[in-house]
Amino acid sequence: MAIWNRKSVLTEAIADWQARGLLDKATAQQLDADVQHRAGGTSFRQILVLLAVVCLGFAAMSFVAANWDGLGRLTRVGLIFAAMWAFWGGSLYLSMRGHHKTAQTCTLGACAMFGAGIMLISQIYHIQGSPKDATWLWAMMTLLAAALTLSVPALVLSLALLLIWVSVPPNIFSSNPPLHFDFPLYLLAAAALAYALRSRFAAHLIMLSAWLWFMLTALTIVDQGSMIMLKAGLCLAFVFLSAALWADRNRRLLRGFERAVILYTIAFISVTIFAWHIIARHDSALIVDGFTTDIYLLIALGSLGICWTAGIIAVRAAHPNAYDLIVTPMFATLAFALLLISPDHALMAQLLMVGGAVWVIRMGWRIDYRQLAILGFFLFAAALLTTYFETIGTLIATSVFYLGVGLLLLLGVFIIPRLSRSKGDRS
C-alpha cells in the first residue's frame, strides 16, 4: 500500500489498464467515477481550516509569551478559556451538522488552547514546575480528547507532544537523555485509536516514534556500558519481520498497513546492524561477549525458532511470501553467527550489509512494493560508501571487495533466472 494518496494511485492504475487494453472505455469511466465518489479525502476548505487553527494556536501561545502586560490575570485566563470553549462548541456544532472532519480540526484548536492555558497559568502564578511535566499533561489531555471526539488531528498533536516529552531532559543541568520505558504504553493507546480511526498517517507517526524511541534508548544504554537493549531489539525485529510478511497477503488484521510495517522493520534492522558494526569498530570491549551470555542466547534462539517455524510452515502451505519467510530466518541465523563469532570483522559486516540490501531489493520486486525496493537501493549504496570510507585493510583489499561483490551479482543474473524458471517464479 502506497504512502501517498490512495485516490491518485487508483486513478493512475485505471488509466494504465485502459491504455493497455485491459479495460474498455465504459468500464474505465465507471470505475473512475466510483473512485472519485468513494475516495473522499480532505477538501481544500478543510485544509484551510486546519491551517487556520494551527495559526490560531501559535497566536495564542505567542500571546502568552508576550506576558500580556496590559491585561489583568483573570482577563488573560478568561480569554484563553473562552477561546478553548469556543473551539469545543464549534466542534460539537459542526459534528451535529455532519461536518466531522472540520469538527476534528476544531478539537485540535481546543487542545492547542489547553496547552496555552497551562503555560499561561504557570506563568501568572509562578508555578515552579518542569516544562517536561507540563508537556506530558498536555499530551495526555490531547490524547484523551482525541479518543473522546475521534479526532485524527488531535491524535497527531498528542504524538508530537509525546515525542517532545521523550526528547526533553528533566532539567537544563541534565547531560544524559531521559529513559522513558513507559513510552510504549502511550504508543499502544495511540495505536489503538489510530486503528479505530483508520488513520494511516497516524500509524506512520506511531511506527516512526516507536523505532526512534527504541534506538535512542538503546544507544543511551550502550553509552552506559550495556548492549542488552540493542541485542534484544535485533532479535525481536526479525520476529516482527516474519509476522509482517506472513500477514502481508491477508490484509485484515492491520487493514493494509502490513507492508509499511515491513518497511519500518527492515529499516530498523539495518540501523541496528550498522550501529553494532560501528560500536565493534570503535569500542569492541562493549561487545566482546557477543551473544555468549545465557540470556542473550535464549533470546536469539527463541527468535530464530519462531522465524524458522514460520518459514517452514509458509513453504509447506505455499504462502505467497514463502520465499522471503524462509530467507528471513536464514539471514537472521547468518547475522547472529557473525555477531557471535567475529562482531568486529569489517569484511563480514560489509558482506552482511550488502547481501541484506540485495535481498531487500529483491523482496520489493517480489511483493511489488516500490518503497521497499527503493529502501534496498539506498541500503546498498550506504553499504558500499561505508566500505569505501572505512576500507577493508587497504585500498587494494577494498577494490577486491568491490570486484568480488560485482562478480557475485553478475553470477546471480545467470543463476537466479534458472532457479526461478524451475519453480515457475517470474519475479
Side-chain angles (χ1 to χ4, degrees):
M1 183 62 65
I3 292 177
W4 49 78
N5 188 276
R6 181 185 300 178
K7 181 177 178 180
S8 63
V9 173
L10 291 175
T11 302
E12 291 176 4
I14 292 171
D16 178 64
W17 292 335
Q18 182 183 2
R20 289 189 289 150
L22 299 176
L23 290 176
D24 57 78
K25 184 177 180 181
T27 304
Q29 290 177 346
Q30 185 177 2
L31 289 173
D32 186 66
D34 185 69
V35 168
Q36 302 299 327
H37 174 70
R38 293 180 177 270
T42 302
S43 68
F44 184 66
R45 189 178 75 170
Q46 291 166 345
I47 293 175
L48 289 180
V49 172
L50 176 61
L51 296 178
V53 168
V54 171
C55 290
L56 289 174
F58 275 103
M61 289 182 283
S62 301
F63 201 41
V64 171
N67 290 319
W68 301 8
D69 293 331
L71 299 175
R73 292 181 177 181
L74 291 179
T75 305
R76 301 174 192 175
V77 175
L79 283 174
I80 287 293
F81 275 87
M84 182 178 69
W85 286 111
F87 274 116
W88 277 122
S91 176
L92 178 61
Y93 174 76
L94 290 169
S95 181
M96 293 175 62
R97 295 292 300 271
H99 303 292
H100 299 292
K101 290 189 176 181
T102 309
Q104 293 178 25
T105 306
C106 285
T107 301
L108 174 66
C111 294
M113 293 302 161
F114 176 78
I118 293 176
M119 293 185 289
L120 171 63
I121 293 174
S122 62
Q123 174 191 359
I124 291 176
Y125 297 101
H126 305 288
I127 297 176
Q128 299 299 319
S130 171
K132 186 179 182 68
D133 295 335
T135 304
W136 177 85
L137 177 61
W138 188 5
M140 291 298 99
M141 292 299 101
T142 302
L143 184 60
L144 178 61
L148 293 176
T149 61
L150 301 179
S151 172
V152 174
L155 174 60
V156 171
L157 175 61
S158 68
L159 289 170
L161 292 171
L162 282 172
L163 274 179
I164 295 173
W165 172 69
V166 167
S167 306
V168 172
N171 54 69
I172 59 175
F173 303 104
S174 178
S175 58
N176 294 324
L179 299 177
H180 294 287
F181 294 105
D182 54 342
F183 185 70
L185 298 177
Y186 304 133
L187 285 186
L188 283 175
L193 183 55
Y195 185 83
L197 295 174
R198 299 175 179 265
S199 174
R200 291 181 60 84
F201 182 70
H204 283 293
L205 287 181
I206 290 168
M207 291 296 298
L208 285 171
S209 301
W211 293 143
L212 180 62
W213 167 81
F214 196 100
M215 287 307 304
L216 290 177
T217 305
L219 293 178
T220 300
I221 295 177
V222 167
D223 192 52
Q224 297 173 358
S226 173
M227 295 281 291
I228 179 171
M229 197 165 179
L230 202 64
K231 295 174 180 178
L234 184 60
C235 296
L236 294 176
F238 283 112
V239 176
F240 263 88
L241 181 58
S242 291
L245 284 168
W246 185 275
D248 172 48
R249 301 304 175 95
N250 184 19
R251 301 183 183 184
R252 287 180 292 182
L253 182 61
L254 297 182
R255 295 172 176 169
F257 199 71
E258 289 81 3
R259 293 196 170 186
V261 174
I262 295 173
L263 185 74
Y264 286 116
T265 304
I266 289 178
F268 176 81
I269 291 174
S270 304
V271 172
T272 304
I273 292 177
F274 180 75
W276 185 294
H277 172 61
I278 294 299
I279 295 169
R281 295 276 288 177
H282 299 284
D283 195 0
S284 58
L286 276 175
I287 58 173
V288 67
D289 60 339
F291 276 94
T292 55
T293 57
D294 293 340
I295 185 171
Y296 302 145
L297 278 174
L298 182 63
I299 296 174
L301 291 176
S303 64
L304 286 177
I306 294 173
C307 293
W308 275 111
T309 301
I312 292 172
I313 294 176
V315 171
R316 291 181 177 178
H319 191 281
N321 289 342
Y323 177 89
D324 294 303
L325 279 165
I326 201 66
V327 173
T328 297
M330 293 172 61
F331 184 82
T333 303
L334 178 61
F336 291 153
L338 292 179
L339 296 176
L340 176 64
I341 298 171
S342 56
D344 58 344
H345 198 293
L347 177 60
M348 295 295 101
Q350 302 302 336
L351 287 175
L352 188 66
M353 288 189 284
V354 170
V358 174
W359 170 42
V360 172
I361 295 172
R362 178 165 172 76
M363 188 191 305
W365 243 261
R366 287 182 64 85
I367 67 176
D368 194 23
Y369 189 33
R370 184 182 303 176
Q371 291 94 321
L372 189 59
I374 293 173
L375 175 63
F377 282 115
F378 175 79
L379 294 175
F380 184 79
L384 294 187
L385 287 174
T386 302
T387 303
Y388 181 81
F389 286 111
E390 285 189 355
T391 71
I392 302 175
T394 64
L395 285 175
I396 294 297
T398 303
S399 67
V400 172
F401 171 82
Y402 286 138
L403 177 63
V405 170
L407 291 177
L408 285 175
L409 293 177
L410 287 176
L411 187 63
V413 171
F414 297 99
I415 294 177
I416 291 176
R418 294 177 181 272
L419 296 177
S420 299
R421 282 196 297 270
S422 66
K423 297 181 180 180
D425 183 4
R426 297 293 181 181
S427 61

